[in-house]
Amino acid sequence: MQTTIVIVEDEEDLLELIEYNLEKEGFETIGFLNTKNVRRVLEEESVDLMIMDRNLPGAEGSEFVALLRKEGIQTPVIYLSAKNKESDIEEGFMRGGDDYMTKPFNMKELLLRINAVLRRTKGTPSEGVVAYRDILLNLASREVTIEGSPITLTKLEFDLLHTLISNQNVVLDRDYLLEHVWGGDEVYQDRTVNVAINRLKEKIDPDKSKEYIKTVRGVGYTLC
């Protein structure tokens, strides 16, 4: 499974240069010029590492990472910043960084640091296969098949389906799902769960012939 790295850098030329070099090394990259849509991608996709500038429009990079950490998002972070004082570097680590590089920087060193952080943090994926009826979830590759055919799910949808399968014969209320799938962030509401469940149903049962997921009115959801 390809390693995905999110890069947040407000200098477009530098962002493209980093993306080019990482993709040449076999990484998949997702680039942003600010933090506006980063959180959504971290929730919905399987991201292995972030490279985060600090001097960003809208939200300072390390403050944004500190907020992610409070919300339970533990994606590893390498800061890549012109803030190069000893106090700046210390602040970066205190705000959830796993490594810190100052600008100007050497691309080869950045690649070495990326691989070092991934070795420490990625580790061995959870192994095994979880099954329910004709659905198979491979926890190592995060792949889903139904009757042997692959189904493409986002990270969020995979986690939601895994949670439902892990709690067969139990009705899971929306608060439980918000806590265990979304991390209990207070900005989410019941409608968030409803929308995600409906989206998941469309993907795993597009013709509505199997009815894997049952809605228990006023309570939550369970597998049929």
Side-chain angles (χ1 to χ4, degrees), residues 1 32 47 53 62 71 127-128 154-155 220:
M1 198 172 179
F32 296 95
V47 176
D53 191 8
S62 70
E71 295 171 351
E127 296 183 357
T154 66
K155 177 182 182 294

Side-chain angles (χ1 to χ4, degrees), residues 38-86:
V38 173
R39 192 177 183 286
R40 177 180 56 80
V41 169
L42 295 176
E43 292 166 350
E44 296 188 354
E45 305 296 334
S46 183
V47 176
D48 299 288
L49 177 68
M50 282 193 293
I51 297 173
M52 176 69 65
D53 191 8
R54 292 189 60 183
N55 295 315
L56 295 168
E60 199 273 349
S62 70
E63 292 178 359
F64 177 74
V65 170
L67 181 61
L68 293 179
R69 296 294 188 249
K70 287 181 181 178
E71 295 171 351
I73 297 174
Q74 300 299 327
T75 306
V77 172
I78 297 176
Y79 290 114
L80 186 58
S81 175
K83 291 188 173 184
N84 58 8
K85 293 188 295 186
E86 186 175 329

Side-chain angles (χ1 to χ4, degrees), residues 166-212:
S166 299
N167 293 275
Q168 294 179 37
N169 305 315
V170 177
V171 179
L172 301 179
D173 63 28
R174 291 170 181 82
D175 287 342
Y176 180 94
L177 292 171
L178 285 171
E179 177 67 29
H180 290 81
V181 179
W182 280 265
D185 192 330
E186 60 186 13
V187 304
Y188 291 113
Q189 301 174 350
D190 288 353
R191 177 162 173 73
T192 303
V193 179
N194 299 345
V195 170
I197 288 283
N198 289 334
R199 197 168 58 205
L200 178 60
K201 285 181 176 180
E202 285 293 326
K203 289 190 175 181
I204 65 175
D205 188 21
D207 59 5
K208 299 178 173 57
S209 62
K210 298 183 177 180
E211 297 184 343
Y212 297 108

